[in-house]
Amino acid sequence: MATLTLSAPAKLNLFLHITGRRADGYHNLQTLFQMLDCGDQLSFTLTTDGEIQFSCSDKSIENDSNLVVRAAKLLQPLASDNAGVKIHLDKQVPMGGGLGGGSSDAATTLLALNQLWQLKLSNAQLCELGLKLGADVPVFVFGKTAFAQGVGEKLQPVSLPQKYYLIVTPEVHVSTAEVFGNPDLIRNTPVMSVKDLLDCDWKNDCETLVKRLYPEVAMVLNWLIEYAPSRMTGTGASVFAEFQDELSARQTLAKLPPPWRGFVAKGVNQSAVLTELEQAV
C-alpha cells in the first residue's frame, strides 16, 4: 500500500478537573474525552527518498514545527533506510479551540506511518511516543471515548449514550500554556472515582479563569446556555452545548449570531480512524 487517507477526529472534554500540580510543572487531571464524528483528514504517500514532505490546506501551519511533521520524525529512525513520506493535511478543526485538532493530527500520523512503514509498534508503544508530543495525543492513538487521569495518558474506555453537540468557537485563540501557568487556575479539585465522576454535575476547572481572561468566551457561553447545558472544552476557546437529537442542535446553530462560528457533531464511542485502519489492511 503506497497511499493511505485517514481521519483525525476532534474531541470534547465533557468535564475537566485539575487535581494538582506535579514537580515537573505538568498538572494531574481527571477528564472525560468524548470522540466526535468529524475532524481533519490526512493523506500519506510513501516515498523512498528519506524525506518528510508536509503540505496543508492552511498555509499558516505548513512548517516543520507542526505536530504532524514532529510525529513523522519521531518514527522515522525506526523505519528502513530511505523511508520517506508525503503528507497532506486538510485542516477543518478550529485551532486554539480545545478540540484537539493538532494532537489528533499527530496521533493519526503515528498510526498511519506505523502501518505504512511496517514498524509493528503496539498501541501502547504509540501512546508512549505520542505523550512526547503532547498530553492529548495518547487518547487519539487509543481512539475511544475515555476517562483519563495523570496528565491525560492513563486511559479507560467509557461507552456513552449517543448525543449531539453544537460547538461554537469565538474569534479568540486561547494559549494552553498561559492558562496552565496562571496562578489563579483551580488546581485542588479532589480526586474522585470514575463512578462518582459519571454521576456528578460536570464542570471544567479552566472555565472560570478563561472567561475572565477572554470575555468573548463568557459571552458565547452565556448565549449558548439559554438553549442547552453548556461548558467549555479543554482550555477553550470552543464551548459546546449538549442535545439529545440532531435537529435541536441544528435549529440552535441557525440562530448563532456572527462572527461566531459553529458546527454540529455527533458523539461516538470509537474514532473513525481505527475503523479506517482496519479496512486498509
Side-chain angles (χ1 to χ4, degrees):
M1 183 194 312
T3 301
L4 186 60
T5 299
L6 296 173
S7 301
K11 59 82 177 171
L12 294 173
N13 296 88
L14 297 186
F15 63 79
L16 177 57
H17 296 175
I18 302 170
T19 60
R21 192 171 195 170
R22 304 177 356 161
D24 61 8
Y26 285 94
H27 289 76
N28 286 318
L29 53 85
Q30 292 188 301
T31 190
L32 181 55
F33 287 110
Q34 169 70 72
M35 291 289 159
L36 300 177
D37 68 343
C38 63
D40 297 336
Q41 189 175 70
L42 292 103
S43 294
F44 304 85
T45 303
L46 287 182
T47 64
T48 55
D49 58 6
E51 298 292 323
I52 294 168
Q53 301 174 55
F54 175 62
S55 61
C56 183
S57 59
D58 183 342
K59 300 301 180 186
S60 69
I61 58 173
E62 204 174 76
N63 54 67
D64 285 352
S65 64
N66 188 281
L67 280 172
V68 169
V69 178
R70 290 170 57 195
K73 287 182 175 178
L74 196 60
L75 289 186
Q76 194 176 32
L78 306 177
S80 60
D81 292 344
N82 300 319
V85 66
K86 291 181 180 178
I87 307 173
H88 180 74
L89 168 61
D90 180 12
K91 191 69 187 161
Q92 299 294 326
V93 177
M95 292 182 290
L99 299 170
S103 296
S104 186
D105 296 338
T108 291
T109 301
L110 294 176
L111 290 164
L113 294 182
N114 184 51
Q115 185 157 312
L116 286 170
W117 284 342
Q118 300 179 0
L119 304 181
K120 298 181 180 177
L121 297 172
S122 68
N123 195 274
Q125 288 172 309
L126 289 174
C127 283
E128 190 175 341
L129 286 168
L131 192 58
K132 297 179 180 180
L133 299 167
D136 281 356
V137 177
V139 72
F140 290 109
V141 173
F142 188 61
K144 298 179 186 296
T145 286
F147 172 70
Q149 299 190 83
V151 297
E153 86 287 8
K154 298 175 182 175
L155 299 164
Q156 176 180 334
V158 175
S159 184
L160 297 178
Q162 178 178 290
K163 292 186 179 177
Y164 290 86
Y165 300 93
L166 169 55
I167 297 137
V168 180
T169 306
E171 294 286 296
V172 295
H173 189 292
V174 174
S175 164
T176 298
E178 179 189 4
V179 171
F180 278 110
N182 194 294
D184 294 335
L185 180 67
I186 297 169
R187 295 182 170 89
N188 60 353
T189 295
V191 175
M192 299 170 65
S193 69
V194 177
K195 180 181 181 302
D196 288 343
L197 282 165
L198 293 176
D199 289 341
C200 74
D201 291 332
W202 292 347
K203 64 185 179 72
N204 182 331
D205 283 341
C206 299
E207 190 174 294
T208 299
L209 174 63
V210 172
K211 287 194 298 184
R212 177 166 63 80
L213 295 175
Y214 302 89
E216 195 165 352
V217 175
M219 290 170 61
V220 177
L221 270 168
N222 290 340
W223 181 86
L224 204 53
I225 208 163
E226 295 293 321
Y227 296 94
S230 305
R231 287 178 300 285
M232 189 177 76
T233 180
T235 54
S238 294
V239 300
F240 65 93
E242 184 179 288
F243 296 86
Q244 299 299 322
D245 61 272
E246 184 177 7
L247 179 60
S248 300
R250 295 202 175 279
Q251 288 174 333
T252 305
L253 174 61
K255 301 171 186 175
L256 187 67
W260 299 338
R261 296 169 295 150
F263 63 94
V264 172
K266 180 173 69 176
V268 293
N269 287 319
Q270 178 168 302
S271 137
V273 71
L274 296 188
T275 305
E276 292 164 354
L277 279 169
E278 288 170 3
Q279 294 171 345
V281 173

